[in-house]
Amino acid sequence: MVSGESDDDRPIVRTNRTTSQKRQRSPTERIATLLDLDVTDCPICFHPLTIPIFQCDNGHIVCSTCCEKLSQKCATCSLPTLSRNRAMERVIELLRVPCPNAGCSVVVSCSETSAHVNHCPFTQRTCPFSSCDFTCSFKDLCKHSVTEHIIAAPSVDGVSFSLSMFKCGTVMRLLISVAKRIILKERTTEGEGEGEVVVVEWFDMPDGRMFYACCIGPGTDKFSYQLKLSLDSGDYLSFNSNLQRVREVSNEPPRAHFWLVPSCMLPCRECYISIKRKTN
């Protein structure tokens, strides 16, 4: 301090965080190895942490879901968990981890792991058909469904039509003279994923025939479809609906999203289906 200069006379130096230079790292310094991914899991529910992440004054962290369930009270020390752990949120935001499913090569951000696993075609799931405890990945679901869950699959000249490949936006014919359930597999090209599995069923009711279609894949895409019947009279009937994505397929008639064709319109000669992927 210069003689005669008071504390009030000294200049105040402020650092502007937006203009200060960050430490320059070499390419090798920008890559790190995390030895234990358990540190990125919530210590309460053990699910991968997602943003926001909360903490108490003692630094115990918790995911937002558990924070709400515990009424913002720390499960370890009982202090309030009102503060955000911004540093851990930044780590979770930048961390990239491989999919935990064997056979999947996708690398996702740590915070998106749960969402990816829920829709990953390599995730092991229980078969959606009722009374079946078989577990398989979505990649093997179609083969299993055809083997175990077709209902009176029709055949013409010894060729089974229980499984058919479809391409979105194209019309295909369904043989409904004998079959009561047909399984359709979306035809995809390399890089487009596994494609969807669609189940088309019909049930003979006292007042007509009920048609129903659903999607049993784990994806998030939405679809619409059209069924068109060719009647013996030469007329056509058509039905448009959204394709429902379901977790269970029963052998019972559906309670909603079905098409009931009156008995007076039957029998029908042919049935056509067109499935379209919705863009919005």
Side-chain angles (χ1 to χ4, degrees):
M1 179 184 297
V2 180
S3 177
E5 186 181 51
S6 66
D7 291 343
D8 294 338
D9 295 330
R10 285 182 296 173
I12 299 175
V13 179
R14 293 185 174 88
T15 301
N16 189 337
R17 294 179 61 186
T18 60
T19 58
S20 61
Q21 289 187 344
K22 294 183 178 180
R23 173 187 170 188
Q24 299 298 314
R25 301 179 186 271
S26 66
T28 56
E29 286 184 303
R30 304 194 70 85
I31 300 176
T33 301
L34 186 61
L35 298 180
D36 188 357
L37 281 176
D38 287 348
V39 299
T40 64
D41 293 341
C42 172
I44 307 301
C45 64
F46 305 108
H47 291 161
L49 287 166
T50 57
I51 300 171
I53 301 171
F54 293 91
Q55 69 172 11
C56 69
D57 288 345
N58 285 329
H60 302 130
I61 62 175
V62 64
C63 71
S64 58
T65 301
C66 291
C67 181
E68 183 177 352
K69 289 181 178 180
L70 295 172
S71 301
Q72 297 181 324
K73 185 177 180 180
C74 180
T76 303
C77 65
S78 299
L79 289 177
T81 52
L82 303 176
S83 302
R84 295 272 294 273
N85 190 318
R86 304 287 182 177
M88 192 63 179
E89 288 180 358
R90 184 59 174 165
V91 170
I92 295 298
E93 183 181 9
L94 297 178
L95 185 63
R96 297 292 185 269
V97 296
C99 173
N101 291 324
C104 182
S105 59
V106 173
V107 177
V108 297
S109 66
C110 185
S111 59
E112 297 175 348
T113 303
S114 294
H116 168 76
V117 170
N118 286 338
H119 304 295
C120 177
F122 292 89
T123 297
Q124 297 293 307
R125 295 177 174 85
T126 302
C127 174
F129 290 90
S130 59
S131 303
C132 182
D133 297 328
F134 185 77
T135 301
C136 66
S137 67
F138 179 62
K139 289 175 62 67
D140 301 323
L141 177 60
C142 190
K143 180 180 179 180
H144 166 76
S145 301
V146 172
T147 303
E148 301 294 336
H149 300 294
I150 58 175
I151 299 180
S155 60
V156 177
D157 295 330
V159 179
S160 174
F161 287 85
S162 57
L163 171 65
S164 298
M165 305 295 292
F166 76 92
K167 186 174 180 61
C168 282
T170 62
V171 178
M172 66 176 300
R173 187 178 66 159
L174 304 177
L175 298 180
I176 63 172
S177 57
V178 180
K180 293 187 176 181
R181 175 185 289 160
I182 287 182
I183 297 173
L184 308 177
K185 179 71 166 61
E186 183 183 12
R187 189 187 305 275
T188 58
T189 58
E190 185 177 355
E192 291 183 339
E194 288 299 312
E196 301 289 346
V197 176
V198 175
V199 178
V200 183
E201 299 178 297
W202 43 96
F203 304 85
D204 288 325
M205 311 297 289
D207 50 355
R209 177 171 288 181
M210 180 184 293
F211 291 84
Y212 174 72
C214 64
C215 180
I216 59 175
T220 57
D221 290 353
K222 297 182 178 180
F223 297 84
S224 63
Y225 74 98
Q226 181 186 67
L227 283 173
K228 188 175 182 181
L229 293 180
S230 173
L231 307 179
D232 286 342
S233 63
D235 296 326
Y236 287 90
L237 293 177
S238 63
F239 172 75
N240 295 275
S241 182
N242 292 324
L243 196 63
Q244 302 299 309
R245 192 178 293 276
V246 301
R247 294 185 177 182
E248 182 179 3
V249 180
S250 68
N251 293 324
E252 301 296 327
R255 297 183 177 181
H257 307 291
F258 60 83
W259 182 28
L260 180 61
V261 179
S263 300
C264 61
M265 298 291 185
L266 301 173
C268 52
R269 293 185 300 177
E270 294 177 333
C271 179
Y272 301 89
I273 187 171
S274 174
I275 302 172
K276 296 181 179 181
R277 179 176 274 103
K278 301 178 73 173
T279 57
N280 51 7

